[in-house]
Amino acid sequence: MIFFLSFIVISIYAQGPDTFTEIDVLHYSGQVEPDITNKSIQGKVIIQFLIKGKDQGKIKLDCGELIIESVHIGKLAVPFDHRNNLLLLPYTFKKDKRVQEVEILYHGKPRWGINFFPVLEEVYTVFSTAQWLVCKDSPDDKATLELSLIMPSGLQVISNGDLAQETPLGNQKIMYVWSQKIPAPTYTFGFVAGHFTQLTEQRGKIRFQYFAKDHSEAELKQIFAETGAMLNFFEDHSGVPYPGNVYSQVLTEGNVFQEMSGFAVLRSSYGKQVLANALEINLLAHELAHQWWGNQVTCLDWNHFWLNEGLAVFMSSAYKERRFGRDEYLKDIDVYLKAYQKVVDQEMDKPLIFSDWSHPTSDDRTLVYFKGAYVLHLLREEMGEKEFWNGIKLYTTSFFGKSVITQNLQEAMEQAAGQDLNAFFSTWIK
Ligand SMILES: [Zn+2]
């Protein structure tokens, strides 16, 4: 079998450099079973997609360092090639079918993208989805997800969207089926499992869930007390209701802050910070803001990443202004300016639209997060209060569920301002 596969691969190479057929993924149906003790996973995914444009050659998927066991199109096992973290499939799809489907079996011991804590019996994913779910891992392709997670019984399990099903498997394991019905970018796919104290609050149609392993329910209530007001603030200022029925926040082991569709994981010690000082809410607000800016209004590619991060940082301070007053907002802005100024002083300033975000430095990250937020503050000053927020609303409502580049933000802001903002965008952003 291996010889046969090698022969196919060689014959493909012999035809010259790779060309790829563009695809648009509609839905992932995944099943993942983590082995927390051995820090490994076993998985299966069915990917439904459309062929975009004409047949240009192979289909390309992201699979990190996962070991691919088999690929099936319908009942047919097809040969595949795995190199440079890509799974390459021959173009053998039926032309008369609109929605194509491929099934992939895999396993692996991911080195990143998923964090295991065997002693605590805890596991969660962080950012690099292709390390645990074979997918088209690019921010411009949103898809729905049904994720079945097979976990040891006794753990709390949180994932994207709604918990649709919970089935005991009879071997001390439970299968949890989570369903994300609103298309989301793959980098916001994920899950958490562990032993947590849980507090649930229903407010209107949204269920807020808070999880931590070393806090009481009363402490959870205090740490996450602002969540409801934050969500209302972002709904009002975006013009778009929260996209889902559940929002979960989980305080986990490790140094992590990661938004995912419908939930966020935050490092455990952060809870203590908020308990000690109610002003320390920026990160909670930042991750929640991503449910609009990032998860739904998503940068087309990582060169426009500042549209995700600059907005999330800025929005956390805008909420703080509403909650604690103008002075606290201005203190935040000053922190952002100082962080940015440091990069300028080292002559490492760059436009916010990057020419290549594949290997960002820590200075590059400072620019995207803090110069980004500072520049939005300057734009607010330039445009005036009413016009600025009208612009944010126009931008968010126009591009919710879509991909954006900086030009989209500029055009929305110009429309709201009733003036050309090219001088501002050329000075600070482009
Ligand atoms: Zn962020």
Side-chain angles (χ1 to χ4, degrees):
M1 190 60 179
I2 288 165
F3 284 113
F4 171 71
L5 291 181
S6 310
F7 171 74
I8 296 280
V9 169
I10 289 160
S11 70
I12 292 170
Y13 288 159
Q15 290 160 14
D18 285 334
T19 53
F20 299 105
T21 300
E22 278 294 307
I23 63 167
D24 173 14
V25 178
L26 304 175
H27 181 71
Y28 296 91
S29 182
Q31 182 180 302
V32 175
E33 180 173 1
D35 181 334
I36 300 174
T37 310
N38 290 313
K39 301 188 175 187
S40 64
I41 59 158
Q42 188 78 43
K44 179 174 94 172
V45 63
I46 297 169
I47 306 175
Q48 291 175 328
F49 61 93
L50 304 175
I51 303 283
K52 273 165 75 177
K54 59 179 193 297
D55 171 8
Q56 297 282 347
K58 281 172 272 183
I59 306 282
K60 179 173 67 173
L61 294 165
D62 298 286
C63 62
E65 295 172 350
L66 292 167
I67 294 156
I68 307 298
E69 295 169 17
S70 69
V71 178
H72 281 80
I73 296 170
K75 287 197 169 66
L76 194 71
V78 296
F80 56 87
D81 185 16
H82 180 186
R83 60 193 145 99
N84 301 329
N85 297 328
L86 295 173
L87 173 62
L88 305 177
L89 308 177
Y91 189 96
T92 52
F93 297 91
K94 290 201 173 71
K95 294 212 164 39
D96 56 339
K97 254 181 109 180
R98 189 178 155 267
V99 179
Q100 308 290 342
E101 195 172 290
V102 60
E103 180 179 309
I104 301 151
L105 258 65
Y106 58 90
H107 67 272
K109 250 175 129 47
R111 289 186 295 161
W112 55 85
I114 181 164
N115 294 345
F116 298 93
F117 300 91
V119 176
L120 300 167
E121 217 182 351
E122 188 175 309
V123 59
Y124 59 84
T125 59
V126 56
F127 192 71
S128 188
T129 300
Q131 309 301 322
W132 58 270
L133 182 82
V134 179
C135 62
K136 181 186 165 195
D137 210 0
S138 46
D140 64 333
D141 195 349
K142 291 184 173 75
T144 51
L145 169 71
E146 187 178 87
L147 185 59
S148 302
L149 293 161
I150 299 174
M151 295 285 181
S153 56
L155 302 188
Q156 271 112 327
V157 179
I158 301 108
S159 185
N160 308 114
D162 297 291
L163 178 62
Q165 223 177 299
E166 190 177 327
T167 313
L169 299 179
N171 51 356
Q172 304 290 316
K173 288 177 183 176
I174 297 178
M175 184 161 79
Y176 301 85
V177 183
W178 283 78
S179 175
Q180 167 77 33
K181 292 202 168 69
I182 299 158
T186 51
Y187 78 88
T188 70
F189 291 179
F191 61 87
V192 193
H195 296 277
F196 303 115
T197 304
Q198 177 180 354
L199 181 68
T200 301
E201 293 183 321
Q202 185 76 35
R203 293 182 187 213
K205 77 177 226 340
I206 298 167
R207 194 165 79 250
F208 294 96
Q209 304 191 127
Y210 318 129
F211 300 87
K213 69 176 184 321
D214 44 11
H215 289 292
S216 64
E217 283 186 27
E219 285 174 332
L220 284 178
K221 202 175 170 72
Q222 193 183 335
I223 293 165
F224 297 111
E226 296 290 325
T227 313
M230 277 175 195
L231 186 135
N232 292 341
F233 179 85
F234 296 138
E235 285 188 333
D236 288 349
H237 287 74
S238 64
V240 184
Y242 174 76
N245 307 312
V246 186
Y247 184 61
S248 303
Q249 294 169 100
V250 194
L251 293 170
T252 56
E253 196 64 15
N255 189 13
V256 65
F257 290 100
Q258 183 66 46
E259 77 280 10
M260 288 176 252
S261 188
F263 71 103
V265 288
L266 309 151
R267 87 175 131 76
S268 192
S269 58
Y270 179 60
K272 293 184 187 73
Q273 261 171 268
V274 181
L275 287 175
N277 180 359
L279 286 166
E280 294 273 345
I281 52 166
N282 288 70
L283 289 164
L284 300 178
H286 177 116
E287 303 309 350
L288 179 55
H290 274 315
Q291 300 295 327
W292 287 263
W293 302 284
N295 295 10
Q296 285 299 321
V297 181
T298 313
C299 58
L300 180 81
D301 61 48
W302 300 118
N303 293 334
H304 293 266
F305 191 33
W306 87 277
L307 292 172
N308 292 14
E309 296 304 339
L311 263 155
V313 175
F314 172 80
M315 286 297 165
S316 75
S317 298
Y319 174 72
K320 218 163 154 190
E321 179 181 26
R322 162 67 60 88
R323 178 68 179 78
F324 297 107
R326 181 82 179 164
D327 284 355
E328 293 303 329
Y329 167 79
L330 290 174
K331 271 189 218 166
D332 278 5
I333 299 299
D334 195 48
V335 169
Y336 307 151
L337 171 59
K338 287 200 171 103
Y340 168 43
Q341 191 60 48
K342 236 174 158 176
V343 180
V344 173
D345 292 346
Q346 288 160 1
E347 298 183 353
M348 299 304 275
D349 189 17
K350 291 177 190 170
L352 283 170
I353 305 173
F354 274 70
S355 51
D356 182 10
W357 184 260
S358 43
H359 300 288
T361 64
S362 70
D363 283 340
D364 293 343
R365 289 186 181 278
T366 299
L367 293 174
V368 159
Y369 283 71
F370 302 119
K371 179 185 178 182
Y374 175 66
V375 165
L376 287 164
H377 162 74
L378 292 182
L379 184 60
R380 183 186 186 183
E381 300 287 298
E382 167 98 8
M383 289 174 68
E385 196 61 5
K386 187 165 153 271
E387 289 78 6
F388 175 80
W389 289 112
N390 282 344
I392 291 290
K393 239 181 214 176
L394 181 61
Y395 168 70
T396 313
T397 52
S398 305
F399 295 100
F400 199 79
K402 299 182 181 146
S403 303
V404 278
I405 56 170
T406 303
Q407 189 64 24
N408 299 131
L409 178 69
Q410 183 177 337
E411 282 167 11
M413 294 318 238
E414 284 177 337
Q415 202 180 320
Q419 68 178 88
D420 180 71
L421 293 170
N422 205 39
F424 182 92
F425 273 76
S426 298
T427 306
W428 289 105
I429 296 168
K430 295 186 199 172

